[in-house]
Amino acid sequence: MSRLLILGTGPLLEPGVVVFGAHGLRTWHLTKPLIDAGHDLLLFTLPIPQPPSVAMPPPGVEERTVSGFPYKAFLDGNEAFALAELERTAKSFAPDGMIAINTGPAGAMSRMTCRVPMWADLNGSAIVEGQIRSRVYGHNAALAHHWANERDALGRADRFSAVSLRQTYMLYGELAALGRMNRWTFDHPFAVHVPNAFNPFHDTTARRGTLRGSRVPEDAFAVLWSGGYNAWTDYDALLEGLCAAMDACPRLHYVSTGGAVHGHNDVSLPMFERAIGECRHRDRFHMLGWVDTSELPGIYADCDLGLCIDSANHESLFGARNRTINMMIGGLPVLTTTHAEIGAELVDAGCALSCGGGTAGEISERLAWAAEHADELKRVAVAGRDHVRQRYSYEATTRDLVAWASEPRHAPDNAYKLRRHSSSRNPLREPSNPVEGPPQACFPAPLPFRPAGSAAGRVVQRGLGASAFERLRFLHRLWQERLLPREAVRIESPDADHGTPIAGAPHIVFAPGAAASPKSASPVACVLRTGNVRQVTIEDEGTDPAGIDSLAGSLVEDAPTNARLVVRVIAHGTDRTHNEALGRASAWRELNTALMVLNGIRSVCGGRMGIEVLLRVTERNWREARALDSHMHRTFRVRTLFEPAFVGEGLPSKSRTALVRSLYSIRRRRGYCDPWSAPGMAVALDEGRTRVAYDDLPPLVTGSVGGLFALISER
């Protein structure tokens, strides 16, 4: 048996609960079979949003019990508090696997650092829920929140369950878009269909309640709406259809339990109630609101027909309807539209009545027919109850989940990440292919800035102006000082005339090309290979377009299909002193030619090659560098790195700092909001000289060592 940490949504359907919803039903639906299977479970629940009139308690955890099973309920929706508690629990409980039920809990659980296998139940599409909220409230602000939860769960979990077969297909599309459909998961069964199951609480032969004779006449034909009023129903058509049916059938009464779906749709119910107040048959509408769960079986028994009316929208297309199967297991025949998958399936099986697309005419016609055909309704009720009991029980719908829980396993790509990024704090969040990373993922992540007085800073100073082989020894020094992991680094030189290769551990990080000095006419300064990153660093001077084309083209052909390709061009052309030494005005023409060639190669390889340009910035050329930065960003969409080269050039330290800050602020105003352009800066003192750098950029130094630093962190 397995130890399982579960995070779901509350409240569960226990005595005294009044406001509950599909998410709480789903939590118990997936948890109860695991209890019956004998697993050691620790269940936490997050609360559903409450009405504004209800004061939320401070963050905390409360011990509760449902059907003799103890669980823990978070008192409010403070995710930071919940994650801290879950992290502590995971360390002490040591689960074999984790299960998140509903998209909100799945998003939260996916942000934990616990590395055990995870099953995410995405009970309906969160992004479609966000679309509903956007329509209801007239803005799209909710989309980002809903997508963040679904995206994080899709990127982290090992198996998924969906509430409809249509949503299962949607999940595979989302997984493909996020890079999970890769070489490791070729035949991995990511997603399975787990339809909603009826709650056993409703599977009873209840005695009549107190509805008839008090609220509705004894001979009334009572139709029941049970549950929340969300935006997937056309309430104008529903009301028009009800009123037309009431015109034709004086016995027809409308009974409603449930209410607004707080946090999702607080608008539809008040509008519907106002329209009822203006209706000619308003006395035959009985809006009971949320009732104690213990009253529901009696209300079901007092009614003649259940309603599930939705409109043609994306939530209906991909979602499901708990109310339908719970009314049917309670003995009620159901009139349903066929937009939702469950509605179409029940109608095709002959165990539910259909009102087609849910127009006012279709609704009124079927209601009037049902009021005159009591015997047919009884037949449909019996057929529906038998069908639901057979196909939509807890046991029948959760076999895949129970089988996985007995031996939780990682998805193959997640297993690879755990091996590949074992030293990472959260290896399961590391990208394993270009699609899985963010849009800027073709660029290596930089190392944090290290002050020049630290061990890393001292080593950086020793690496300034190094030749190719000296840079190898510089890397070896990093490895010796444990600034690079010993088990992940191997350093060697293929250039025999440069001396004996330096041996380390079994992974190639750096291999120099033919160039031995920064002023070589060859376009190659160095080639870096690390993990799934391939980088070429090119000098802009003496550039041969054919040579660049050959070099970058071979880089593309040599790299695996999931490799991130980076070409870095070191632009000396903005340095007046350097240009004067070479007897030229600038190297703009050479740089422009190189970028044109590289841009063509990038378009051929499907955009998976990133282009960087390293500009040396001094107090004499910063205006030219700024203009060149603007030109390259506008023309070639390249990433520009600045190399502050102020050491020993006679500029006061305050002026140096002000200059780099000025360049930085210009980039911010232009909207360069890349991850490497964070607001922080640092001034590091070393032997009385000032070196200025962005604190989130690699320490950029002369030649190709700056390119080296950006790659080290990727290993």
Side-chain angles (χ1 to χ4, degrees):
M1 294 298 103
S2 302
R3 296 166 65 85
L4 302 172
L5 178 62
I6 304 177
L7 180 63
T9 309
L12 304 183
L13 196 59
E14 52 196 90
V17 170
V18 176
V19 181
F20 67 96
H23 298 95
L25 295 174
R26 185 75 167 185
T27 297
W28 189 242
H29 167 197
L30 270 60
T31 301
K32 184 61 166 65
L34 299 172
I35 298 172
D36 295 340
H39 296 296
D40 185 6
L41 308 182
L42 190 51
L43 170 65
F44 286 82
T45 61
L46 294 170
I48 59 175
Q50 296 295 316
S53 58
V54 178
M56 290 297 289
V61 183
E62 182 178 85
E63 299 277 352
R64 294 180 183 173
T65 302
V66 58
S67 301
F69 175 74
Y71 72 100
K72 298 182 179 182
F74 290 108
L75 299 180
D76 80 336
N78 187 318
E79 184 177 306
F81 176 85
L83 286 179
E85 181 66 23
L86 290 169
E87 294 281 13
R88 287 192 294 269
T89 301
K91 290 179 181 179
S92 59
F93 183 61
D96 301 307
M98 302 191 301
I99 299 173
I101 306 172
N102 302 305
T103 306
M109 183 169 270
S110 68
R111 291 185 275 273
M112 294 174 60
T113 59
C114 185
R115 303 182 180 187
V116 301
M118 175 181 166
W119 181 294
D121 174 62
L122 303 182
N123 179 24
S125 169
I127 195 64
V128 173
E129 289 287 342
Q131 184 185 40
I132 288 178
R133 289 186 64 183
S134 299
R135 180 179 184 272
V136 169
Y137 295 111
H139 59 75
N140 290 317
L143 293 176
H145 166 73
H146 285 274
W147 174 238
N149 280 328
E150 191 156 313
R151 177 201 62 213
D152 289 352
L154 289 166
R156 161 63 177 90
D158 302 281
R159 294 288 301 275
F160 302 90
S161 48
V163 76
S164 69
L165 194 59
R166 297 170 186 172
Q167 193 204 353
T168 304
Y169 299 144
M170 183 182 185
L171 283 183
Y172 274 108
E174 291 176 319
L175 288 166
L178 292 174
R180 298 298 301 277
M181 305 284 277
N182 49 55
R183 68 185 179 96
W184 296 283
T185 59
F186 175 73
D187 56 357
H188 179 62
F190 265 124
V192 296
H193 175 208
V194 178
N196 284 329
F198 67 86
N199 192 293
F201 171 80
H202 296 290
D203 189 12
T204 59
T205 305
R207 299 168 56 184
R208 283 192 177 273
T210 60
L211 198 61
R212 290 187 180 271
S214 59
R215 293 180 178 270
V216 301
E218 287 287 351
D219 65 341
F221 181 76
V223 297
L224 175 67
W225 179 282
S226 182
Y229 282 80
N230 214 327
W232 42 257
T233 293
D234 183 344
Y235 293 101
D236 291 337
L238 175 60
L239 182 59
E240 185 181 344
L242 285 167
C243 289
M246 288 177 179
D247 288 338
C249 178
R251 297 189 300 121
L252 195 149
H253 284 250
Y254 177 83
V255 178
S256 168
T257 68
V261 185
H262 300 292
H264 288 273
N265 184 359
D266 300 291
V267 176
S268 294
L269 179 59
M271 293 177 61
F272 186 56
E273 289 178 326
R274 283 195 298 271
I276 290 172
E278 300 170 358
C279 173
R280 59 189 176 278
H281 298 299
R282 55 183 172 273
D283 293 338
R284 286 197 262 167
F285 286 84
H286 310 279
M287 310 297 287
L288 306 183
W290 294 105
V291 301
D292 192 292
T293 54
S294 62
E295 298 181 34
L296 287 175
I299 294 173
Y300 283 11
D302 278 343
C303 292
D304 299 288
L305 181 68
L307 295 180
C308 185
I309 310 297
D310 49 28
S311 61
N313 57 74
H314 295 117
E315 201 284 336
S316 298
L317 178 66
F318 295 109
R321 300 289 176 259
N322 268 292
R323 67 190 67 195
T324 305
I325 56 176
N326 280 322
M327 287 190 291
M328 291 174 71
I329 201 67
L332 263 180
V334 170
L335 174 66
T336 180
T337 50
T338 55
H339 297 300
E341 183 178 275
I342 183 65
E345 191 271 329
L346 293 172
V347 169
D348 290 344
C351 52
L353 301 179
S354 170
C355 59
T359 64
E362 291 171 317
I363 293 171
S364 63
E365 179 186 350
R366 295 302 285 167
L367 286 175
W369 179 90
E372 302 301 325
H373 292 79
D375 291 340
E376 182 65 16
L377 290 186
K378 290 180 182 178
R379 184 200 66 78
V380 172
V382 172
R385 191 170 199 168
D386 291 343
H387 182 80
V388 168
R389 187 175 286 145
Q390 178 182 359
R391 294 198 57 176
Y392 297 105
S393 66
Y394 284 0
E395 179 185 3
T397 55
T398 57
R399 292 191 179 102
D400 290 309
L401 172 62
V402 172
W404 179 88
S406 64
E407 192 177 357
R409 290 186 178 181
H410 285 291
D413 58 342
N414 278 347
Y416 164 79
K417 291 178 185 179
L418 288 171
R419 296 191 303 269
R420 174 70 180 81
H421 302 286
S422 58
S423 60
S424 172
R425 181 173 181 268
N426 195 349
L428 295 173
R429 304 302 299 177
E430 298 285 346
S432 64
N433 59 72
V435 178
E436 203 169 25
Q440 299 86 1
C442 56
F443 298 113
L447 287 174
F449 177 80
R450 296 178 183 272
S454 67
R458 290 193 299 273
V459 175
V460 169
Q461 295 300 321
R462 294 172 193 148
L464 292 173
S467 67
F469 186 65
E470 287 170 335
R471 291 174 194 136
L472 288 173
R473 295 201 175 276
F474 165 67
L475 267 178
H476 190 243
R477 179 71 172 172
L478 289 178
W479 181 73
Q480 285 180 323
E481 297 201 19
R482 296 184 178 276
L483 297 175
L484 291 174
R486 288 179 177 271
E487 70 279 2
V489 178
R490 180 182 179 186
I491 304 169
E492 61 181 36
S493 168
D495 302 328
D497 58 337
H498 282 178
T500 306
I502 303 172
H507 185 73
I508 296 176
V509 170
F510 178 84
S517 73
K519 295 183 180 180
S520 171
S522 168
V524 182
C526 65
V527 179
L528 294 135
R529 294 180 176 85
T530 170
N532 68 336
V533 176
R534 302 292 183 267
Q535 173 165 316
V536 165
T537 303
I538 301 172
E539 304 281 350
D540 71 335
E541 51 200 41
T543 297
D544 175 12
I548 292 180
D549 184 79
S550 174
L551 174 70
S554 64
L555 179 73
V556 173
E557 294 174 2
D558 173 65
T561 56
N562 70 326
R564 286 181 279 171
L565 312 175
V566 181
V567 177
R568 171 170 289 178
V569 181
I570 302 177
H572 296 284
T574 55
D575 187 343
R576 288 182 181 177
T577 303
H578 188 79
N579 291 330
E580 289 168 2
L582 294 177
R584 65 183 184 184
S586 73
W588 279 51
R589 181 175 299 175
E590 291 91 335
L591 178 60
N592 202 62
T593 301
L595 291 178
M596 289 179 64
V597 172
L598 293 173
N599 207 41
I601 297 172
R602 176 168 60 181
S603 64
V604 171
C605 68
R608 65 189 181 108
M609 183 176 80
I611 303 175
E612 300 177 340
V613 177
L614 177 63
L615 300 177
R616 300 187 72 246
V617 183
T618 72
E619 74 279 9
R620 298 206 305 167
N621 76 340
W622 67 273
R623 288 184 177 84
E624 291 90 338
R626 184 176 66 185
L628 184 58
D629 169 43
S630 177
H631 165 72
M632 290 186 300
H633 181 76
R634 183 175 60 253
T635 307
F636 299 109
R637 306 298 298 175
V638 301
R639 168 182 169 184
T640 311
L641 305 179
F642 289 116
E643 177 188 275
F646 306 132
V647 176
E649 298 197 21
L651 191 67
S653 60
K654 289 184 179 180
S655 299
R656 297 175 207 156
T657 304
L659 176 57
V660 177
R661 287 184 183 276
S662 173
L663 287 171
Y664 173 77
S665 64
I666 290 167
R667 293 179 62 78
R668 291 292 287 180
R669 286 199 299 272
R670 263 188 217 137
Y672 293 0
C673 298
D674 300 316
W676 52 274
S677 294
M681 286 188 175
V683 178
L685 300 177
D686 181 57
E687 298 178 1
R689 296 176 300 181
T690 305
R691 181 166 56 83
V692 183
Y694 297 110
D695 63 356
D696 62 329
L697 283 178
L700 300 175
V701 295
T702 304
S704 58
V705 181
L708 157 70
F709 261 82
L711 268 290
I712 289 174
S713 62
E714 285 286 328
R715 278 191 277 114

